[in-house]
């Protein structure tokens, strides 16, 4: 999958298949919802194999899960299927590792594998053997955000699944994703998610 939405839709549009939600029979809303969840997972896997950083994939998958969960699939269900494919294709086009320079690729991979540990621009630049200033400039130019913002957003995204476990305390969750101060974690969570960690946990029970 190289991010070509039109080709993807064309190749996946099997009118005689009972597995593909595109152009499915109207009225079969339950099956359509199930298929949509399945395809959202499938597109996640495809995007990851194409080299898209997990933080961006998680954000998009959560967006579509929310739309499906709120039964956004109605008379416009087919259009939503097309929109889902197009959004993942666009993500691959914009965020695939293949589009990044070797220094930024190494930086992203290091962040992915060291998220629970302290991460600084100093140790990142040391890891890829370039100056802090050069790496910061290159990362912002290619990824579209600062290293600090990327790391913080990824930590918050990774904490979402942990928050769904009601046996884990919020202070334990933030430590698992590399943030020692629960208050700082709560501020970051509110910044990126629009609600507090506690509010997010409560909504999972509804």
């Amino acid at each position: 999958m190289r991010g070509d939405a039109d080709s993807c839709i064309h190749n996946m549009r099997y009118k005689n298949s009972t597995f593909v939600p595109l152009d499915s029979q109207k009225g079969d809303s339950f099956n359509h919802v199930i298929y949509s969840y399945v395809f959202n997972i499938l597109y996640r896997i495809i995007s990851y194999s194409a080299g898209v950083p997990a933080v961006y994939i998680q954000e998009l998958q959560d967006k579509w899960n929310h739309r499906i969960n709120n039964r956004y699939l109605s008379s416009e269900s087919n259009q939503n299927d097309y929109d889902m494919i197009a959004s993942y294709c666009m993500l691959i086009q914009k965020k695939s590792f293949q589009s990044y320079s070797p220094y930024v690729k190494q930086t992203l991979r290091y962040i992915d594998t060291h998220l629970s540990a302290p991460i600084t621009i100093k140790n990142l630049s040391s890891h890829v053997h370039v100056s802090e200033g050069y790496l910061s400039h290159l990362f912002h130019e290619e990824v579209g955000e600062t290293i600090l913002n990327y790391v913080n957003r990824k930590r918050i995204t990774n904490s979402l699944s942990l928050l769904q476990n009601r046996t884990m305390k919020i202070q334990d969750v933030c430590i698992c994703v590399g943030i020692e101060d629960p208050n700082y974690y709560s501020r970051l969570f509110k910044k990126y998610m629009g609600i507090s960690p506690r509010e997010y946990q409560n909504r999972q029970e509804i």
Side-chain angles (χ1 to χ4, degrees):
M1 189 173 184
R2 295 173 295 179
D4 186 342
D6 291 335
S7 296
C8 186
I9 291 171
H10 175 75
N11 292 332
M12 298 185 72
R13 196 184 200 180
Y14 297 107
K15 292 179 181 287
N16 294 325
S17 171
T18 59
F19 182 68
V20 181
L22 296 177
D23 300 324
S24 60
Q25 294 182 353
K26 293 182 177 179
D28 195 8
S29 59
F30 178 76
N31 283 339
H32 197 114
V33 168
I34 298 302
Y35 288 144
S36 295
Y37 276 121
V38 170
F39 270 79
N40 197 19
I41 295 171
L42 174 62
Y43 300 147
R44 176 195 175 99
I45 295 171
I46 292 172
S47 298
Y48 189 80
S49 67
V52 178
V55 63
Y56 299 120
I57 301 173
Q58 187 64 53
E59 287 178 350
L60 187 56
Q61 185 183 27
D62 287 346
K63 167 192 168 184
W64 281 107
N65 280 339
H66 180 72
R67 292 179 70 171
I68 296 167
N69 192 48
N70 285 304
R71 304 193 64 81
Y72 197 82
L73 306 169
S74 57
S75 60
E76 300 178 354
S77 57
N78 288 346
Q79 184 60 48
N80 282 317
D81 290 327
Y82 303 144
D83 289 345
M84 184 189 293
I85 293 173
S87 65
Y88 275 98
C89 288
M90 183 65 70
L91 182 69
I92 291 172
Q93 288 176 351
K94 289 185 174 182
K95 300 297 185 181
S96 172
F97 272 176
Q98 298 168 10
S99 65
Y100 296 136
S101 65
Y103 292 135
V104 172
K105 286 180 184 178
Q106 290 178 57
T107 301
L108 290 169
R109 292 193 177 105
Y110 183 92
I111 292 171
D112 282 346
T113 55
H114 295 79
L115 202 64
S116 61
I119 297 176
T120 65
I121 296 177
K122 182 177 181 179
N123 61 33
L124 288 172
S125 62
S126 176
H127 175 72
V128 300
H129 306 294
V130 296
S131 70
E132 296 178 34
Y134 179 73
L135 181 61
S136 296
H137 173 76
L138 190 64
F139 191 96
H140 189 274
E141 186 177 70
E142 295 186 13
V143 180
E145 60 184 323
T146 66
I147 292 174
L148 178 61
N149 191 67
Y150 177 86
V151 171
N152 285 338
R153 189 154 57 83
K154 185 169 178 62
R155 282 174 165 160
I156 296 304
T157 300
N158 282 16
S159 74
L160 298 180
S161 60
L162 298 176
L163 287 171
Q164 294 174 17
N165 181 354
R166 297 292 298 174
T167 63
M168 287 194 70
K169 297 179 179 180
I170 291 177
Q171 53 264 41
D172 295 329
V173 170
C174 67
I175 291 174
C176 287
V177 295
I179 302 174
E180 295 184 358
D181 184 353
N183 292 325
Y184 180 59
Y185 168 75
S186 295
R187 291 198 299 272
L188 285 178
F189 196 96
K190 184 71 177 289
K191 173 183 176 181
Y192 293 108
M193 301 302 299
I195 57 176
S196 70
R198 181 65 63 195
E199 288 175 302
Y200 180 85
Q201 278 189 322
N202 293 337
R203 290 187 182 186
Q204 306 313 302
E205 299 179 340
I206 299 176

